[in-house]
Amino acid sequence: MQRDERDQSTPWGTGLAVAGFVAVVAGVGIVVVSLGLIRVHPLLAVGLNAVAVGGLAPTLWTWRRTAVLRWFVLGAGVGVAGAWMTLLTMAALGPAMSGG
């Protein structure tokens, strides 16, 4: 018995919604924690981000082929990248925004 093509379709709408939610939660979480750590010491924030990504990357890499978990992996990747870009932008604009 062969499966129909429609049974194998990718749920793009639901998957992208899950990925978007995971991206927002991960991104906001990383930015908030990093800003708190930057107040203690900037290298602490950089170090913690590097250790966290280095520790999670192998696990997420193995999940990318699993039907449901791949959407979480996409969201986590987009969230981390967006958070890092936000933090770099805030660091670059920080002195200009404070008038210094």
Side-chain angles (χ1 to χ4, degrees):
M1 180 172 167
Q2 283 203 329
R3 289 185 149 182
D4 191 61
E5 277 286 319
R6 292 172 290 172
D7 292 342
Q8 304 252 348
S9 66
T10 302
W12 286 99
T14 306
L16 290 175
V18 168
F21 179 77
V22 171
V24 169
V25 170
V28 169
I30 290 170
V31 168
V32 168
V33 170
S34 295
L35 288 176
L37 290 172
I38 286 172
R39 290 185 180 146
V40 175
H41 197 283
L43 288 178
L44 185 61
V46 171
L48 183 65
N49 273 298
V51 167
V53 167
L56 286 175
T59 301
L60 293 177
W61 190 254
T62 60
W63 287 358
R64 77 190 195 292
R65 297 271 185 221
T66 306
V68 173
L69 295 179
R70 64 182 165 194
W71 300 110
F72 289 95
V73 173
L74 175 64
V78 170
V80 168
W84 285 358
M85 294 305 294
T86 301
L87 290 168
L88 288 173
T89 302
M90 290 174 74
L93 295 178
M97 293 177 70
S98 65

